[in-house]
Amino acid sequence: MSDPRETQYDKLPAGRRAGELTLRELLRFGWRQITSMRTALVLLLLLALAAVPGSIVPQEGVDALAASRWRDDHPRLAPVYEWLGLFDVYGSVWFSAIYLLLMISLVGCIVPRTLVYWRAMRAQPPRAPRNLSRLPDAASYRTDESVDEVLARARTVLGRRHRVRKAEEGAADGAVSAERGYLREAGNLVFHLSVVVVLVGFAIGGLFGYKGGVILVTGDGFGNTLTSYDDFVPGSLFTPDQLDPFSFTVEDFEVDWLLSGRAAGQARGFSADVRYRETRDAEEERYDLRVNHPLTIGDTDIFLIGHGYAPVVTIRDGEGEIAYNGPTIFLPQDQSLFSFGVIKAPSAEPQEIGLEGVLYPTFGMTEEGDPVNLLGKAVDPLLSVLVHAGDLGMDEGASQSVYVLDKGDTEQVEDEDGKPLRLDLRPGDTVELPDGLGSVTFEGLEDWQRIQISQTPGKLIALGGVVMALVGLLGSLFIRPRRVWVRARQDGDGTLVEVAALDRSGGGDVVPVLEDLVAALRGDERGNQPPETKRDGTS
């Protein structure tokens, strides 16, 4: 016989200290912590917080130029951000770790709860409590019917919408137990499972899909090959064989401008008239490409996500030869399409020429005399650029952004007063450069369109997960688990019938349920001869 004064610490194996865990116990403890609902919620919150830098810091895979500019503007923070992976948040190790831990936590939480739910579904409703009158919601009435007749009718009435406990031979409690609302827990499980489905959908898209972008001037064509993209972000398991062999050309482009109100000068909407072929030998088709109305070819979606202006500039060198001619894409700096760009003429003689400046689609001046852009619509365009001459660094073999001018081996061209030469050109203007460098002509403007091309193989799975989440949430909110008991016993010359209901979710009003049930048991319409009803301890 054990000593009653013996504690749990006295039962420890020899040489083992209190609180010391074996490897098996430590793994079990860690698994329980990871698969707890609290941990899942914390990881879900961490995943949401981890996505915040991806929305604030420019991402390499989304806008490489913006990321490069951010590095140039923040030389001290850039190495830290690079080390933390903030320029590629969704591909970083720490984001992937949170992602995987959340998956493990959710699966480890859902599986045991599913097993418990399965056992609960197969279990019988609990027996009726001994004193139904002590429950918060209870009613009673007297009838001349026998106990067996009352209980038989109770089974029939409750069996329509409840699961009724099977009658047990020899049971003398004279009660019927019923329960409903089992699907509420199913709704909870479906909701949690939907999170896993959404994560799996995103994971499939990230592994097997890709996203690329290209800027096309109106009239230009595009063939779906890797070399045709301006930027391309493939999934980890992407192969070039996934590229659909289509091609398209932006035939025309239209913008609906707002010309009045607080948003005057901004685009209300824009669309591109696209001619495309699904394969090289397929017939040509047309499509009106608009924002949020992508063109789908095979497994690929083509989106129109932006637009801007491309000034058409002709640069003649000192020998009168055309060193550069054509539209050059300028990137918008705000919603009014005030744009920045670079024009390079590496073949100019006697020196290479580079232009760097801004485009005002509708030029204006403030009362203080400062230049300003008034509208996004090109009503009075002005091209204002600085001129650089020298080695532009384009023959060194290293890749160079078309939006960045390498000014390390160049000199800024100056005017007669020794100030930096600024060319302010309107369409049709030509300016002769000093020192026999040549001339610059602003021919006019053309539109360009930013096209995003992507494959997201897991999008239907993610959509299914969202639908599952909605269904599960609706089930959790509107399905109310409830238990109902009916007991009948002989009392004098009649039968005393007691009815009680319990709302297991809390906050539900079961008094109408009791009234309907009593009316059905008595064969009366609701409201006739009300039973003795007790609610929250009052009669």
Side-chain angles (χ1 to χ4, degrees), residues 24-103:
R24 180 179 180 181
E25 291 171 339
L26 182 62
L27 293 176
R28 181 184 300 174
F29 174 78
W31 176 254
R32 287 177 179 176
Q33 296 302 312
I34 292 176
T35 57
S36 68
M37 184 56 64
R38 178 178 59 186
T39 302
L41 292 175
V42 171
L43 289 172
L44 192 60
L45 177 61
L46 286 177
L47 191 68
L49 293 176
V52 172
S55 302
I56 298 175
V57 181
Q59 300 296 289
E60 284 282 1
V62 178
D63 193 339
L65 178 61
S68 176
R69 287 182 178 175
W70 199 98
R71 290 188 180 95
D72 294 338
D73 295 338
H74 305 83
R76 293 185 178 180
L77 285 177
V80 178
Y81 279 33
E82 196 78 51
W83 182 76
L84 293 175
L86 296 184
F87 294 111
D88 185 19
V89 169
Y90 306 109
S92 62
V93 175
W94 53 270
F95 189 88
S96 300
I98 298 175
Y99 196 96
L100 292 175
L101 283 175
L102 178 59
M103 289 282 291

Coordinates of all heavy atoms in Angstrom, one line a residue, residues 24-103:
R24 N 11.1 11.7 -26.0 CA 9.8 11.4 -26.5 C 8.8 12.3 -25.9 O 7.9 12.8 -26.6 CB 9.4 9.9 -26.1 CG 8.0 9.5 -26.6 CD 7.8 8.1 -26.2 NE 6.4 7.7 -26.6 CZ 5.9 6.5 -26.4 NH1 6.7 5.5 -25.7 NH2 4.7 6.2 -26.7
E25 N 8.9 12.6 -24.6 CA 8.0 13.5 -23.9 C 8.2 15.0 -24.5 O 7.2 15.7 -24.6 CB 8.3 13.5 -22.4 CG 7.8 12.2 -21.8 CD 8.3 12.1 -20.3 OE1 9.2 12.9 -20.0 OE2 7.7 11.3 -19.6
L26 N 9.4 15.3 -24.8 CA 9.7 16.7 -25.3 C 9.1 16.8 -26.7 O 8.5 17.8 -27.0 CB 11.2 16.9 -25.4 CG 11.6 18.3 -25.9 CD1 11.1 19.4 -25.0 CD2 13.2 18.4 -26.0
L27 N 9.2 15.8 -27.5 CA 8.6 15.8 -28.9 C 7.1 15.9 -28.8 O 6.4 16.6 -29.5 CB 9.0 14.6 -29.7 CG 10.5 14.5 -30.1 CD1 10.8 13.2 -30.8 CD2 10.9 15.7 -31.0
R28 N 6.5 15.1 -27.8 CA 5.1 15.1 -27.7 C 4.6 16.5 -27.2 O 3.6 17.0 -27.7 CB 4.6 14.1 -26.6 CG 3.1 14.0 -26.4 CD 2.8 13.0 -25.3 NE 3.2 11.7 -25.7 CZ 3.2 10.6 -24.9 NH1 2.7 10.8 -23.7 NH2 3.6 9.4 -25.3
F29 N 5.4 17.1 -26.3 CA 5.0 18.5 -25.8 C 5.1 19.5 -26.9 O 4.2 20.3 -27.1 CB 5.9 18.8 -24.6 CG 5.8 20.3 -24.2 CD1 4.7 20.6 -23.3 CD2 6.6 21.3 -24.6 CE1 4.5 21.9 -22.9 CE2 6.5 22.6 -24.2 CZ 5.4 22.9 -23.3
G30 N 6.2 19.4 -27.7 CA 6.3 20.3 -28.8 C 5.2 20.2 -29.9 O 4.7 21.2 -30.4
W31 N 4.8 18.9 -30.1 CA 3.7 18.7 -31.1 C 2.4 19.2 -30.6 O 1.6 19.8 -31.4 CB 3.6 17.2 -31.4 CG 2.5 16.8 -32.3 CD1 1.3 16.2 -31.9 CD2 2.4 17.0 -33.7 NE1 0.5 16.0 -33.0 CE2 1.1 16.5 -34.1 CE3 3.2 17.6 -34.6 CZ2 0.7 16.6 -35.4 CZ3 2.8 17.7 -35.9 CH2 1.6 17.2 -36.3
R32 N 2.1 19.1 -29.3 CA 0.9 19.6 -28.8 C 0.9 21.1 -28.8 O -0.2 21.7 -29.1 CB 0.7 19.2 -27.3 CG 0.4 17.7 -27.2 CD 0.3 17.3 -25.7 NE -0.1 15.9 -25.6 CZ -0.2 15.2 -24.4 NH1 0.2 15.9 -23.3 NH2 -0.5 14.0 -24.4
Q33 N 2.1 21.7 -28.6 CA 2.1 23.2 -28.7 C 1.9 23.7 -30.2 O 1.2 24.6 -30.4 CB 3.4 23.7 -28.2 CG 3.7 23.4 -26.7 CD 2.6 24.0 -25.8 OE1 2.2 25.2 -26.0 NE2 2.0 23.2 -24.9
I34 N 2.5 23.0 -31.1 CA 2.4 23.4 -32.5 C 1.0 23.2 -33.0 O 0.5 24.1 -33.8 CB 3.4 22.6 -33.4 CG1 4.9 23.1 -33.0 CG2 3.2 22.9 -34.9 CD1 5.9 22.3 -33.8
T35 N 0.4 22.1 -32.6 CA -1.0 21.8 -33.2 C -2.1 22.4 -32.3 O -3.3 22.0 -32.6 CB -1.1 20.3 -33.3 OG1 -0.9 19.7 -32.0 CG2 -0.1 19.7 -34.2
S36 N -1.8 23.2 -31.4 CA -2.9 23.9 -30.6 C -3.5 25.0 -31.4 O -2.9 25.6 -32.3 CB -2.4 24.4 -29.3 OG -1.5 25.5 -29.5
M37 N -4.8 25.2 -31.2 CA -5.5 26.3 -31.9 C -4.9 27.7 -31.6 O -4.8 28.5 -32.5 CB -7.0 26.3 -31.5 CG -7.8 27.3 -32.3 SD -7.7 27.1 -34.0 CE -8.5 25.5 -34.2
R38 N -4.4 27.9 -30.4 CA -3.8 29.1 -30.1 C -2.5 29.4 -31.0 O -2.3 30.5 -31.5 CB -3.4 29.1 -28.6 CG -2.6 30.4 -28.2 CD -2.3 30.3 -26.7 NE -1.5 29.2 -26.4 CZ -1.2 28.8 -25.2 NH1 -1.6 29.5 -24.1 NH2 -0.4 27.8 -24.9
T39 N -1.7 28.3 -31.2 CA -0.6 28.5 -32.0 C -1.0 28.7 -33.5 O -0.3 29.6 -34.2 CB 0.3 27.2 -32.0 OG1 0.7 26.9 -30.6 CG2 1.5 27.3 -32.8
A40 N -2.0 28.1 -33.9 CA -2.5 28.3 -35.3 C -2.9 29.7 -35.5 O -2.6 30.4 -36.5 CB -3.6 27.3 -35.6
L41 N -3.6 30.3 -34.5 CA -4.0 31.7 -34.6 C -2.8 32.6 -34.6 O -2.8 33.6 -35.3 CB -5.0 32.0 -33.5 CG -6.4 31.3 -33.5 CD1 -7.2 31.6 -32.3 CD2 -7.1 31.8 -34.8
V42 N -1.9 32.3 -33.8 CA -0.7 33.2 -33.7 C 0.1 33.1 -35.0 O 0.5 34.2 -35.6 CB 0.3 32.7 -32.5 CG1 1.6 33.4 -32.6 CG2 -0.4 33.0 -31.2
L43 N 0.2 31.9 -35.6 CA 0.9 31.8 -36.9 C 0.1 32.5 -38.0 O 0.7 33.1 -38.9 CB 1.1 30.3 -37.2 CG 2.1 29.6 -36.4 CD1 2.1 28.1 -36.7 CD2 3.5 30.1 -36.6
L44 N -1.2 32.4 -38.0 CA -2.0 33.1 -39.0 C -1.8 34.6 -38.9 O -1.7 35.3 -39.9 CB -3.5 32.8 -38.8 CG -4.4 33.2 -39.9 CD1 -4.0 32.5 -41.2 CD2 -5.9 32.8 -39.5
L45 N -1.7 35.1 -37.6 CA -1.4 36.6 -37.4 C 0.0 36.9 -37.9 O 0.2 38.0 -38.6 CB -1.6 36.9 -35.9 CG -1.3 38.4 -35.5 CD1 -2.2 39.3 -36.3 CD2 -1.4 38.5 -34.0
L46 N 0.9 36.1 -37.6 CA 2.3 36.3 -38.1 C 2.4 36.3 -39.6 O 3.1 37.1 -40.2 CB 3.2 35.2 -37.5 CG 3.6 35.4 -36.0 CD1 4.5 34.2 -35.6 CD2 4.3 36.7 -35.8
L47 N 1.6 35.4 -40.3 CA 1.6 35.4 -41.7 C 1.1 36.7 -42.3 O 1.6 37.2 -43.3 CB 0.8 34.2 -42.2 CG 0.9 33.9 -43.7 CD1 2.3 33.4 -44.0 CD2 -0.2 32.9 -44.1
A48 N 0.0 37.2 -41.6 CA -0.6 38.5 -42.1 C 0.4 39.6 -41.9 O 0.6 40.5 -42.7 CB -1.9 38.8 -41.4
L49 N 1.1 39.6 -40.7 CA 2.1 40.7 -40.4 C 3.3 40.6 -41.4 O 3.9 41.6 -41.8 CB 2.5 40.6 -39.0 CG 1.5 40.9 -37.9 CD1 2.1 40.7 -36.5 CD2 1.0 42.4 -38.1
A50 N 3.7 39.3 -41.7 CA 4.8 39.1 -42.6 C 4.6 39.6 -44.0 O 5.5 39.9 -44.7 CB 5.2 37.6 -42.6
A51 N 3.3 39.6 -44.4 CA 2.9 40.1 -45.7 C 3.0 41.6 -45.8 O 3.0 42.2 -46.9 CB 1.6 39.6 -46.1
V52 N 3.0 42.3 -44.7 CA 3.0 43.8 -44.7 C 4.2 44.4 -45.4 O 4.1 45.2 -46.3 CB 2.9 44.3 -43.3 CG1 3.1 45.8 -43.2 CG2 1.5 44.0 -42.7
P53 N 5.5 43.9 -45.1 CA 6.6 44.4 -45.9 C 6.5 44.2 -47.4 O 7.0 45.0 -48.1 CB 7.8 43.6 -45.3 CG 7.4 43.2 -43.9 CD 5.9 42.9 -44.1
G54 N 5.8 43.1 -47.8 CA 5.6 42.9 -49.2 C 4.8 43.9 -49.9 O 4.8 44.1 -51.1
S55 N 3.9 44.6 -49.1 CA 3.1 45.7 -49.6 C 3.7 47.0 -49.5 O 3.3 48.0 -50.2 CB 1.7 45.7 -48.9 OG 1.1 44.4 -48.9
I56 N 4.7 47.2 -48.7 CA 5.4 48.5 -48.4 C 6.7 48.6 -49.2 O 7.0 49.6 -49.9 CB 5.6 48.7 -46.9 CG1 4.2 48.7 -46.2 CG2 6.3 50.0 -46.7 CD1 4.4 48.8 -44.7
V57 N 7.5 47.6 -49.1 CA 8.8 47.6 -49.7 C 8.7 47.1 -51.2 O 8.0 46.1 -51.4 CB 9.8 46.7 -48.9 CG1 11.2 46.7 -49.6 CG2 9.9 47.1 -47.5
P58 N 9.3 47.8 -52.1 CA 9.2 47.4 -53.5 C 9.8 45.9 -53.7 O 10.8 45.6 -53.2 CB 10.0 48.4 -54.3 CG 10.0 49.6 -53.4 CD 10.0 49.1 -52.0
Q59 N 9.0 45.1 -54.4 CA 9.4 43.7 -54.6 C 10.1 43.5 -55.9 O 9.7 44.0 -57.0 CB 8.2 42.8 -54.5 CG 7.5 42.9 -53.1 CD 8.4 42.4 -52.0 OE1 8.7 41.2 -51.8 NE2 8.8 43.3 -51.1
E60 N 11.2 42.8 -55.9 CA 12.0 42.5 -57.1 C 11.1 41.9 -58.2 O 11.2 42.2 -59.4 CB 13.2 41.6 -56.8 CG 14.3 42.3 -56.1 CD 15.2 43.1 -57.1 OE1 14.8 43.1 -58.3 OE2 16.1 43.7 -56.6
G61 N 10.3 40.9 -57.8 CA 9.5 40.2 -58.8 C 8.3 41.0 -59.3 O 7.7 40.6 -60.3
V62 N 8.0 42.1 -58.7 CA 6.8 42.9 -59.1 C 7.3 44.1 -59.9 O 6.8 44.4 -60.9 CB 6.0 43.3 -57.9 CG1 4.8 44.2 -58.3 CG2 5.4 42.0 -57.2
D63 N 8.2 44.8 -59.3 CA 8.7 46.1 -60.0 C 10.2 46.2 -59.6 O 10.6 46.8 -58.6 CB 7.9 47.3 -59.5 CG 8.2 48.5 -60.3 OD1 9.2 48.5 -61.0 OD2 7.3 49.4 -60.2
A64 N 11.0 45.6 -60.5 CA 12.5 45.6 -60.3 C 13.0 47.0 -60.3 O 14.0 47.3 -59.6 CB 13.2 44.7 -61.3
L65 N 12.4 47.9 -61.1 CA 12.9 49.3 -61.2 C 12.7 50.0 -59.9 O 13.6 50.7 -59.4 CB 12.3 50.0 -62.4 CG 12.7 51.5 -62.6 CD1 14.2 51.6 -62.8 CD2 11.9 52.1 -63.7
A66 N 11.5 49.9 -59.4 CA 11.2 50.5 -58.1 C 12.1 50.0 -57.0 O 12.5 50.8 -56.1 CB 9.7 50.3 -57.7
A67 N 12.4 48.7 -57.0 CA 13.3 48.2 -56.0 C 14.7 48.8 -56.1 O 15.4 49.1 -55.2 CB 13.3 46.6 -56.1
S68 N 15.1 48.9 -57.4 CA 16.5 49.5 -57.6 C 16.5 50.9 -57.2 O 17.5 51.4 -56.6 CB 16.8 49.4 -59.1 OG 18.0 50.0 -59.4
R69 N 15.4 51.7 -57.5 CA 15.4 53.1 -57.0 C 15.4 53.2 -55.5 O 16.0 54.1 -54.9 CB 14.2 53.8 -57.6 CG 14.2 54.0 -59.1 CD 13.0 54.8 -59.5 NE 13.0 55.1 -60.9 CZ 12.0 55.6 -61.6 NH1 10.9 55.9 -61.0 NH2 12.1 55.9 -62.9
W70 N 14.7 52.3 -54.8 CA 14.7 52.3 -53.4 C 16.0 52.1 -52.8 O 16.4 52.7 -51.9 CB 13.7 51.2 -52.9 CG 13.2 51.4 -51.5 CD1 12.1 52.0 -51.0 CD2 13.9 51.1 -50.3 NE1 12.0 52.1 -49.7 CE2 13.2 51.5 -49.2 CE3 15.2 50.5 -50.0 CZ2 13.5 51.3 -47.9 CZ3 15.6 50.3 -48.7 CH2 14.7 50.7 -47.6
R71 N 16.8 51.1 -53.4 CA 18.2 50.9 -53.0 C 19.0 52.1 -53.1 O 19.8 52.5 -52.3 CB 18.8 49.7 -53.7 CG 18.2 48.4 -53.4 CD 19.0 47.3 -54.1 NE 18.5 46.0 -53.8 CZ 17.7 45.3 -54.7 NH1 17.3 45.9 -55.8 NH2 17.3 44.1 -54.4
D72 N 18.9 52.8 -54.3 CA 19.7 54.0 -54.5 C 19.3 55.1 -53.5 O 20.2 55.9 -53.1 CB 19.4 54.5 -55.9 CG 20.0 53.5 -57.0 OD1 20.9 52.7 -56.6 OD2 19.5 53.6 -58.1
D73 N 18.0 55.2 -53.1 CA 17.6 56.3 -52.2 C 17.9 56.0 -50.8 O 17.9 56.9 -49.9 CB 16.1 56.5 -52.4 CG 15.7 57.1 -53.8 OD1 16.6 57.6 -54.4 OD2 14.5 56.9 -54.2
H74 N 18.1 54.7 -50.4 CA 18.4 54.3 -49.0 C 19.6 53.4 -49.0 O 19.5 52.2 -48.7 CB 17.2 53.6 -48.5 CG 15.9 54.3 -48.6 ND1 15.1 54.3 -49.7 CD2 15.2 55.1 -47.6 CE1 14.0 55.1 -49.5 NE2 14.1 55.6 -48.3
P75 N 20.8 54.0 -49.2 CA 22.0 53.2 -49.3 C 22.3 52.5 -48.0 O 23.0 51.4 -48.0 CB 23.1 54.2 -49.7 CG 22.5 55.5 -49.3 CD 21.0 55.4 -49.4
R76 N 21.9 53.0 -46.8 CA 22.3 52.4 -45.6 C 21.3 51.3 -45.2 O 21.7 50.2 -44.7 CB 22.2 53.5 -44.4 CG 23.3 54.5 -44.6 CD 23.3 55.5 -43.4 NE 24.4 56.4 -43.4 CZ 24.6 57.4 -42.5 NH1 23.8 57.5 -41.4 NH2 25.6 58.2 -42.7
L77 N 20.0 51.5 -45.5 CA 19.0 50.5 -45.2 C 19.0 49.3 -46.2 O 18.6 48.2 -45.8 CB 17.6 51.1 -45.1 CG 17.3 51.9 -43.9 CD1 15.9 52.5 -44.0 CD2 17.4 51.1 -42.6
A78 N 19.4 49.6 -47.4 CA 19.3 48.6 -48.5 C 20.1 47.3 -48.1 O 19.5 46.2 -48.3 CB 19.9 49.1 -49.8
P79 N 21.3 47.3 -47.6 CA 22.0 46.0 -47.2 C 21.2 45.2 -46.1 O 21.1 44.0 -46.2 CB 23.3 46.4 -46.7 CG 23.6 47.8 -47.4 CD 22.2 48.4 -47.4
V80 N 20.6 46.0 -45.2 CA 19.9 45.3 -44.1 C 18.6 44.7 -44.7 O 18.3 43.5 -44.4 CB 19.5 46.3 -43.0 CG1 18.7 45.7 -41.9 CG2 20.7 47.0 -42.4
Y81 N 17.9 45.4 -45.6 CA 16.7 44.9 -46.2 C 17.1 43.7 -47.1 O 16.3 42.7 -47.1 CB 16.0 45.9 -47.0 CG 15.1 46.9 -46.2 CD1 15.5 47.2 -44.9 CD2 14.0 47.4 -46.7 CE1 14.7 48.1 -44.2 CE2 13.2 48.3 -46.0 CZ 13.5 48.6 -44.7 OH 12.8 49.5 -44.0
E82 N 18.2 43.7 -47.7 CA 18.6 42.6 -48.6 C 18.9 41.4 -47.8 O 18.5 40.3 -48.1 CB 19.9 43.0 -49.3 CG 20.3 42.1 -50.5 CD 19.4 42.5 -51.7 OE1 19.3 43.6 -52.1 OE2 18.9 41.5 -52.3
W83 N 19.6 41.6 -46.6 CA 19.9 40.4 -45.7 C 18.6 39.8 -45.1 O 18.5 38.6 -45.0 CB 20.8 40.9 -44.6 CG 21.2 39.8 -43.7 CD1 22.1 38.8 -43.9 CD2 20.7 39.6 -42.4 NE1 22.2 38.0 -42.8 CE2 21.3 38.4 -41.9 CE3 19.7 40.2 -41.6 CZ2 21.1 37.9 -40.6 CZ3 19.5 39.7 -40.3 CH2 20.1 38.5 -39.8
L84 N 17.6 40.7 -44.9 CA 16.3 40.2 -44.3 C 15.4 39.6 -45.4 O 14.4 39.0 -45.1 CB 15.6 41.3 -43.6 CG 16.3 41.8 -42.3 CD1 15.5 43.0 -41.8 CD2 16.3 40.7 -41.2
G85 N 15.8 39.8 -46.7 CA 14.9 39.3 -47.7 C 13.7 40.1 -48.0 O 12.7 39.6 -48.5
L86 N 13.7 41.4 -47.6 CA 12.5 42.2 -47.7 C 12.2 42.6 -49.2 O 11.1 43.1 -49.4 CB 12.6 43.5 -46.8 CG 12.7 43.2 -45.3 CD1 12.7 44.5 -44.6 CD2 11.6 42.3 -44.8
F87 N 13.1 42.5 -50.1 CA 12.9 42.8 -51.5 C 12.3 41.6 -52.2 O 11.9 41.7 -53.3 CB 14.2 43.2 -52.2 CG 14.7 44.5 -51.7 CD1 15.9 44.5 -51.0 CD2 14.1 45.7 -51.9 CE1 16.4 45.7 -50.5 CE2 14.6 46.9 -51.4 CZ 15.8 46.9 -50.7
D88 N 12.2 40.5 -51.5 CA 11.5 39.3 -52.0 C 10.9 38.5 -50.8 O 11.2 37.4 -50.5 CB 12.5 38.4 -52.8 CG 11.8 37.2 -53.4 OD1 10.6 37.3 -53.6 OD2 12.5 36.2 -53.8
V89 N 9.9 39.2 -50.3 CA 9.3 38.7 -49.0 C 8.7 37.3 -49.2 O 9.0 36.4 -48.4 CB 8.2 39.7 -48.5 CG1 7.4 39.1 -47.4 CG2 8.8 41.0 -48.1
Y90 N 7.9 37.1 -50.2 CA 7.2 35.9 -50.4 C 8.1 34.7 -50.8 O 7.6 33.5 -50.8 CB 6.0 36.0 -51.4 CG 5.2 37.2 -51.0 CD1 5.2 38.4 -51.8 CD2 4.3 37.2 -49.9 CE1 4.4 39.5 -51.4 CE2 3.6 38.2 -49.5 CZ 3.6 39.4 -50.3 OH 2.8 40.5 -50.0
G91 N 9.3 35.0 -51.2 CA 10.3 33.9 -51.5 C 11.3 33.8 -50.4 O 12.2 33.0 -50.6
S92 N 11.2 34.5 -49.3 CA 12.2 34.4 -48.2 C 12.0 33.2 -47.4 O 11.0 32.6 -47.3 CB 12.1 35.7 -47.4 OG 10.8 35.7 -46.7
V93 N 13.1 32.8 -46.7 CA 13.1 31.6 -45.9 C 12.2 31.8 -44.7 O 11.4 30.9 -44.4 CB 14.6 31.3 -45.4 CG1 14.6 30.2 -44.4 CG2 15.5 31.1 -46.6
W94 N 12.2 33.0 -44.1 CA 11.3 33.1 -42.9 C 9.8 33.2 -43.2 O 9.0 32.6 -42.4 CB 11.7 34.4 -42.1 CG 11.8 35.7 -43.0 CD1 12.8 36.1 -43.7 CD2 10.7 36.6 -43.2 NE1 12.5 37.3 -44.3 CE2 11.2 37.6 -44.0 CE3 9.4 36.6 -42.8 CZ2 10.4 38.7 -44.5 CZ3 8.6 37.7 -43.2 CH2 9.1 38.7 -44.0
F95 N 9.5 33.7 -44.4 CA 8.1 33.7 -44.8 C 7.6 32.2 -45.1 O 6.6 31.8 -44.7 CB 7.8 34.6 -46.0 CG 6.4 34.7 -46.3 CD1 5.7 35.8 -45.8 CD2 5.8 33.9 -47.2 CE1 4.3 35.9 -46.1 CE2 4.4 34.1 -47.6 CZ 3.7 35.1 -47.0
S96 N 8.5 31.5 -45.7 CA 8.2 30.1 -46.0 C 8.1 29.3 -44.7 O 7.3 28.3 -44.7 CB 9.3 29.5 -46.9 OG 9.4 30.2 -48.2
A97 N 8.9 29.6 -43.7 CA 8.9 28.9 -42.5 C 7.5 29.1 -41.8 O 6.9 28.1 -41.3 CB 10.0 29.3 -41.6
I98 N 7.1 30.3 -41.8 CA 5.8 30.6 -41.1 C 4.7 29.9 -41.9 O 3.7 29.3 -41.3 CB 5.5 32.1 -41.1 CG1 6.6 32.9 -40.3 CG2 4.1 32.4 -40.6 CD1 6.4 34.4 -40.3
Y99 N 4.8 29.9 -43.2 CA 3.8 29.3 -44.1 C 3.7 27.8 -43.8 O 2.6 27.2 -43.6 CB 4.2 29.5 -45.5 CG 3.2 29.2 -46.6 CD1 2.4 30.3 -47.1 CD2 3.0 28.0 -47.1 CE1 1.5 30.0 -48.1 CE2 2.0 27.7 -48.1 CZ 1.3 28.8 -48.6 OH 0.4 28.5 -49.6
L100 N 4.9 27.1 -43.7 CA 4.9 25.7 -43.5 C 4.4 25.3 -42.1 O 3.7 24.3 -41.8 CB 6.3 25.1 -43.7 CG 6.8 25.1 -45.2 CD1 8.2 24.7 -45.3 CD2 5.9 24.3 -46.0
L101 N 4.8 26.1 -41.1 CA 4.4 25.9 -39.7 C 2.9 26.0 -39.6 O 2.2 25.3 -38.8 CB 5.1 26.8 -38.7 CG 6.6 26.5 -38.4 CD1 7.2 27.6 -37.5 CD2 6.7 25.1 -37.7
L102 N 2.3 27.0 -40.3 CA 0.9 27.2 -40.2 C 0.2 26.0 -40.8 O -0.9 25.5 -40.3 CB 0.5 28.5 -41.0 CG -1.0 28.8 -41.0 CD1 -1.6 28.9 -39.6 CD2 -1.2 30.0 -41.8
M103 N 0.7 25.5 -41.9 CA 0.1 24.3 -42.5 C 0.2 23.1 -41.6 O -0.8 22.4 -41.4 CB 0.9 23.9 -43.8 CG 0.6 24.9 -45.0 SD -0.9 24.6 -45.8 CE -0.6 23.0 -46.6

